[in-house]
Amino acid sequence: MEYCLTGNANASITKRSKFWDKAVFRKTFILFLAAFALSGCDALIDALNQAAAQPRFAFVTQRLDPGTDPDDFDDQVVTEVFVATISEGTDPTAPSRSIPFASDVLFENVSFIDVQKLVWHPGGDHLALEIYEDIAGFEFDIWVAIYTRGLSRQFLASDDNMAGDASNICPSNVFFPNGFEGFVADEIALGALPPGTTAGVNWGSGNVLAGTFHGWLTPNRFVSSILNDPEVFLTRPDGTVTGPFGEASPAIWGAEQEVYLIYERRGTRWVEVECLDDLPVIPTRPAASRAMAIDGSGDVTLDGSVLLGLTGTAAVNAPGSTIQLDGPYP
C-alpha cells in the first residue's frame, strides 16, 4: 500500500490548522477514501487541495461543559468557532455536506463568553470576531480577534489593550471629549483661566467602557473602537500643565466618547496606524455565495435545509447550538 500523508506534498493543507486533528480528521478523511482507492495519492491530494480552495463559511457554537454542575451559577459554557466548506457530490439528489477544516475553543478557562460578531473579509482570507467576556462582579471585557482563513489567530486585543494602543497614537490636541473644549473656552471668558490656555486629552486613559469591531476597510485594514471617558488636562500659556483635570489621577472628564482605531496588517502582525473621531466609511460587503442561516434549533441551514456533517447524523458535525454564522466567502 502506498502512503502519502507525509512529506511536503500536502503542506498547504496540513499546516493550515487543526484539520488533521482527532475526530475532525477522521470524519473528513471518509470523504476522500473513494478517490484514494481509485487513483492513489495524487487523486487524494488533488481532492484535498480542491476542498481547501472552496469558499469557506464560519460558525460559532455553544454547549455546556458536561463536567460542570448544572445548578452552578458559573456553569462552564464552551464556545467554539469553526471554519468549513460545503461538499456537493455528483448525485443531485444527495444532500450537501460540510467539511470542517479547523476549530478553536475560545477562552477555555473563562466560565462564559459570547461572540457578538463574526465577520469574514469578503476575500475569505481573514475572519474577525467580537467577543464578550463575562467577569465576576458584573464586569465585562470586549475583545477583537482576527483569524486567518485556516483559523490561525493573528490578533487578539481587549478593549483595555486597544486603549493602550490609542494612548500611543491618538492625538491629544485635535479632538476632545464632548463639551470639554467649550468648557475651557468658557473658563477663559470668565477669567478663571488665562487666555491662550489649551485643552488636552489622554485618549485610552481613565475609564474604558467597551470596545467594538466595526468592519473591514480593505483586505489588510479593519476599524475597531473604544468607548472612552479619558483623562483631560490644561496647558497654560507659560507651559504649565494642570491635570489630569479635576481630582487626583485617574481623574476623568465625565463625557464618554468613541474613538476609532485603524489597524493594518504588516506581515503576520496587525498594528494600529490611525486614530479618528468619526467612523470612516466601511465598504458594503457582497452577499455570501450561498444562502446559509441558523434555524430555531440552532442548526446551520443551506438553502433552507439543515446542512449535514460528513456522518449525516448532525448538522456540520459541531456539538451544541450555533449562535453566529457568516459566509461562505472565497
Side-chain angles (χ1 to χ4, degrees):
M1 180 176 180
E2 182 183 13
Y3 292 89
C4 59
L5 296 183
T6 60
N8 295 324
N10 60 335
S12 63
I13 305 296
T14 58
K15 291 183 180 179
R16 285 183 181 273
S17 60
K18 301 177 183 176
F19 177 73
W20 297 109
D21 288 354
K22 299 177 182 178
V24 173
F25 164 75
R26 292 194 296 271
K27 293 173 182 177
T28 307
F29 187 69
I30 293 171
L31 185 68
F32 306 108
L33 285 180
F36 174 71
L38 292 173
S39 305
C41 288
D42 289 343
L44 176 59
I45 292 170
D46 286 346
L48 291 171
N49 283 326
Q50 289 174 16
Q54 294 300 308
R56 296 194 180 188
F57 65 97
F59 59 101
V60 177
T61 66
Q62 286 185 330
R63 64 185 184 274
L64 184 66
D65 189 327
T68 61
D69 181 353
D71 296 324
D72 188 349
F73 178 77
D74 290 326
D75 288 338
Q76 181 71 35
V77 176
V78 179
T79 303
E80 191 166 7
V81 57
F82 295 80
V83 292
T85 190
I86 299 167
S87 172
E88 294 179 302
T90 57
D91 181 359
T93 64
S96 301
R97 298 181 185 272
S98 69
I99 303 175
F101 276 90
S103 68
D104 186 33
V105 175
L106 305 172
F107 296 15
E108 292 187 67
N109 298 319
V110 175
S111 61
F112 178 75
I113 65 168
D114 191 19
V115 175
Q116 300 183 139
K117 294 178 184 176
L118 181 70
V119 187
W120 278 110
H121 180 270
D125 286 332
H126 285 94
L127 178 69
L129 284 75
E130 182 184 296
I131 304 167
Y132 175 98
E133 177 194 3
D134 188 48
I135 300 174
F138 302 100
E139 298 288 335
F140 66 90
D141 272 335
I142 295 180
W143 299 74
V144 173
I146 304 295
Y147 286 86
T148 66
R149 173 180 171 83
L151 212 58
S152 174
R153 191 172 66 207
Q154 288 187 330
F155 177 87
L156 178 66
S158 70
D159 42 15
D160 292 322
N161 298 145
M162 290 187 290
D165 292 339
S167 68
N168 292 327
I169 199 169
C170 292
S172 63
N173 59 351
V174 175
F175 50 87
F176 304 91
N178 296 323
F180 179 56
E181 196 173 18
F183 169 78
V184 174
D186 289 343
E187 291 292 285
I188 293 172
L190 292 170
L193 292 171
T197 298
T198 59
V201 54
N202 295 323
W203 291 108
S205 67
N207 287 339
V208 179
L209 304 173
T212 301
F213 174 84
H214 286 280
W216 293 100
L217 299 176
T218 72
N220 296 317
R221 282 193 164 207
F222 69 86
V223 56
S224 63
S225 68
I226 57 169
L227 184 61
N228 194 191
D229 184 1
E231 299 174 349
V232 295
F233 60 92
L234 304 174
T235 303
R236 297 169 185 268
D238 63 2
T240 301
V241 176
T242 301
F245 185 79
E247 304 169 1
S249 182
I252 52 178
W253 167 241
E256 302 165 4
Q257 182 162 327
E258 198 167 18
V259 289
Y260 302 92
L261 313 174
I262 309 300
Y263 285 86
E264 181 175 276
R265 182 162 63 97
R266 295 181 177 176
T268 59
R269 298 177 61 239
W270 292 87
V271 180
E272 188 191 4
V273 294
E274 193 172 1
C275 181
L276 304 170
D277 61 338
D278 289 315
L279 180 66
V281 175
I282 298 173
T284 301
R285 292 194 307 157
S289 59
R290 298 294 300 270
M292 302 189 74
I294 303 170
D295 68 12
S297 300
D299 289 329
V300 174
T301 65
L302 175 68
D303 300 328
S305 299
V306 172
L307 179 61
L308 299 179
L310 290 170
T311 63
T313 58
V316 297
N317 288 326
S321 178
T322 306
I323 61 169
Q324 291 285 353
L325 171 73
D326 193 37
Y329 285 98

